Amino acid sequence: MPSGYGKRAGGMNKLAGRIIGILLVVSAAIYIVVVRPVQLGLDLQGGTQLTLQAQPTERVTEITPQVMLGLEAVLEQRINGFGVSETVIQISGDDRLFIQLPGVDDPDRAIDVLQDTAQLEFRVQKVGERRPLPDPETNEYLLTPEEVDTIFAPAQLTGAQLNSAATLAPQGRNESWGVELRFNSEGATTFADLTREIAGTGRTIGIFLDGQLLSAPVVRGDTNPNGIIGGVASITGQFDVNEARDLTVKLEAGALPVPVEVIENRTVGATLGAASVKRSLIAGLGGLVLTFGYMLVYYRVPGLMASTALVIYALITFAVFQLFGVTLTLPGIAGFILSIGIAVDANVLIFERTREELRSGKSVYKSVEEGFSRALASILDSNVTTLLACLVLFWLGTGLVKGFALTLAVGILVSFFTALTCTRTFLLILLSNSSWRKSELFGVKQTPA
């Protein structure tokens, strides 16, 4: 057996392992792209963009950074409960919040959910006062603040004692949507005391949201002589599904620390987003075609292998975006297209080093190996410095800048893999056939020694 046989066999086994690995990665990427939906940002799928300004009150006379952080936390909870995905909410300046709601085409409803202070109160009807009744036409309680204070005692139970809220679906044909409330231990005790006080008396317990009476139920003495225990209550009325869900979101997230005012309301149409996606795809495909053409003309066979690896790069990068739920925006697509150029840059460094080795008289196989080995340091330097720039942009930038930084960083990491693994593997597969070991195929007019 020749002395080099074992070494060549080991090299072929290693190469086969790489091919299998690449095929597995590509298959997984194709599966992810097909199965998982693409998350589009506001500028691509349309939606609502709001700027809110915090308003001081008698209790909170100054808008401090702590107040803004509390406001941001409550609004973020409300947005999450509202069912809007891939949102952006960030503090802007001293007293403003910038919010993006992709896919939301009803800004008035979103504003109502975000802007409502959601002050929940339970007030017992005073002895001897009339029972409030809703208006027969609107089914709402039309009471002035003076009438409310006359009929009901001051609040002894508020939303501060609320643990959670949930939407209740109708239980029968004539029933409407409602909201179930669950209090903490302190609230459960207070609620039991209040309902025991009025059980069987015909007096009501008023449920108020921001001073507006929502419901005024009575507590039956025959079924609840000791009040309603367990800390669970429900608000029912003529709610539709959206009203019940919105009220649940407001109560679940809690009250805003200060009221907010909408100072800008901008709606982005989906048509504009679709046009932007189309132009971005044309730009991306155009860039790929021009890059492929340059690589094929100038580097020939290595250029063909690099172009194949570049297709794999684009597929894997897009799959990573979908796998981790990266929201694609126009700046994000720009970062992705820019990373294609960086991916080619790594191949250019490798191929130029390979040409230098060929001109020095080395064999094609040895020149390719040396080209990858000696270009590694330069590739690492360029990629690391660009990744550091992405880190700074992501750390200090706003939503759109962060999207650009994230997509560029992902592209750089994937390009490092495709340049050093895919391109190298494809070239070594070709070079396993002696007919491809010609320097002319690599753009060098010199027969290797």
Side-chain angles (χ1 to χ4, degrees):
M1 181 181 294
S3 60
Y5 179 80
K7 185 176 180 180
R8 288 195 299 272
M12 291 302 295
N13 289 335
K14 187 176 181 180
L15 188 60
R18 287 181 182 174
I19 295 172
I20 293 173
I22 293 172
L23 290 175
L24 289 175
V25 171
V26 170
S27 300
I30 294 174
Y31 175 79
I32 292 171
V33 169
V34 171
V35 171
R36 294 184 70 91
V38 180
Q39 300 288 350
L40 299 179
L42 178 72
D43 54 352
L44 296 182
Q45 68 166 306
T48 298
Q49 180 175 296
L50 303 172
T51 302
L52 307 180
Q53 186 173 44
Q55 304 295 314
T57 62
E58 292 183 0
R59 187 174 61 87
V60 183
T61 58
E62 183 183 1
I63 305 300
T64 64
Q66 289 72 26
V67 171
M68 292 302 296
L69 288 174
L71 187 61
E72 181 185 31
V74 174
L75 290 175
E76 186 170 11
Q77 264 194 289
R78 290 189 180 185
I79 290 172
N80 292 337
F82 192 49
V84 181
S85 61
E86 308 305 327
T87 60
V88 173
I89 175 170
Q90 60 191 30
I91 297 173
S92 176
D94 296 329
D95 61 353
R96 295 184 180 184
L97 280 161
F98 175 76
I99 299 175
Q100 287 188 340
L101 305 173
V104 173
D105 54 4
D106 186 359
D108 292 336
R109 182 186 171 203
I111 290 171
D112 178 64
V113 172
L114 298 178
Q115 199 173 25
D116 203 314
T117 53
Q119 296 285 355
L120 179 68
E121 295 178 325
F122 290 79
R123 303 176 65 172
V124 172
Q125 181 184 334
K126 296 178 181 178
V127 178
E129 294 296 333
R130 65 180 176 88
R131 177 182 175 182
L133 296 174
D135 182 270
E137 294 184 2
T138 63
N139 203 39
E140 296 177 356
Y141 293 89
L142 306 178
L143 300 177
T144 65
E146 292 76 16
E147 289 176 320
V148 168
D149 291 337
T150 300
I151 299 173
F152 293 96
Q156 294 177 269
L157 180 63
T158 68
Q161 287 81 44
L162 192 64
N163 255 354
S164 64
T167 304
L168 291 175
Q171 300 300 311
R173 179 176 297 179
N174 298 322
E175 298 290 328
S176 62
W177 289 79
V179 178
E180 182 183 77
L181 310 176
R182 291 185 178 273
F183 298 101
N184 59 22
S185 57
E186 178 189 353
T189 301
T190 304
F191 186 64
D193 293 340
L194 293 177
T195 52
R196 182 171 56 250
E197 177 187 341
I198 63 173
T201 66
R203 292 156 60 196
T204 63
I205 181 168
I207 304 174
F208 291 84
L209 183 68
D210 294 334
Q212 176 67 42
L213 181 60
L214 297 179
S215 182
V218 297
V219 180
R220 294 175 55 181
D222 56 341
T223 56
N224 299 286
N226 297 317
I228 300 175
I229 60 176
V232 180
S234 61
I235 305 174
T236 57
Q238 298 302 314
F239 295 133
D240 62 24
V241 59
N242 287 334
E243 290 171 339
R245 286 175 178 171
D246 291 352
L247 179 56
T248 301
V249 168
K250 296 173 189 177
L251 297 178
E252 181 77 14
L256 299 178
V258 292
V260 293
E261 179 183 349
V262 179
I263 61 175
E264 184 183 31
N265 176 5
R266 184 178 301 173
T267 301
V268 179
T271 303
L272 176 63
S276 299
V277 171
K278 183 178 180 180
R279 287 194 294 267
S280 299
L281 289 175
I282 292 174
L285 291 174
L288 279 173
V289 170
L290 291 174
T291 302
F292 289 170
Y294 173 80
M295 296 296 289
L296 288 172
V297 170
Y298 193 73
Y299 290 108
R300 302 185 185 181
V301 170
L304 176 62
M305 299 299 99
S307 299
T308 305
L310 206 57
V311 173
I312 295 176
Y313 155 80
L315 175 64
I316 295 175
T317 303
F318 195 68
V320 170
F321 292 162
Q322 292 178 248
L323 181 63
F324 292 100
V326 175
T327 303
L328 283 181
T329 61
L330 281 178
I333 293 176
F336 174 59
I337 295 174
L338 179 60
S339 67
I340 293 175
I342 296 177
V344 172
D345 181 60
N347 287 291
V348 168
L349 290 173
I350 293 167
F351 297 158
E352 287 300 327
R353 292 296 302 180
T354 300
R355 283 184 166 187
E356 290 179 8
E357 300 299 324
L358 284 171
R359 293 189 183 102
S360 68
K362 294 182 180 179
S363 67
V364 172
Y365 195 95
K366 184 67 174 176
S367 297
V368 170
E369 287 285 8
E370 291 290 332
F372 277 92
S373 177
R374 296 190 178 185
L376 180 61
S378 299
I379 295 171
L380 279 175
D381 288 343
S382 63
N383 284 350
V384 168
T385 53
T386 309
L387 283 173
L388 289 175
C390 292
L391 179 62
V392 173
L393 287 174
F394 189 83
W395 181 32
L396 299 178
T398 58
L400 296 179
V401 175
K402 284 185 176 182
F404 171 81
L406 181 60
T407 53
L408 180 57
V410 170
I412 290 170
L413 294 174
V414 176
S415 71
F416 188 78
F417 164 77
T418 54
L420 297 181
T421 301
C422 297
T423 305
R424 182 175 184 176
T425 301
F426 297 155
L427 280 173
L428 292 179
I429 290 173
L430 283 180
L431 295 179
S432 62
N433 188 326
S434 58
S435 60
W436 291 97
R437 299 175 195 169
K438 299 177 181 179
S439 59
E440 291 83 1
L441 297 178
F442 287 74
V444 177
K445 294 181 180 180
Q446 178 180 351
T447 303

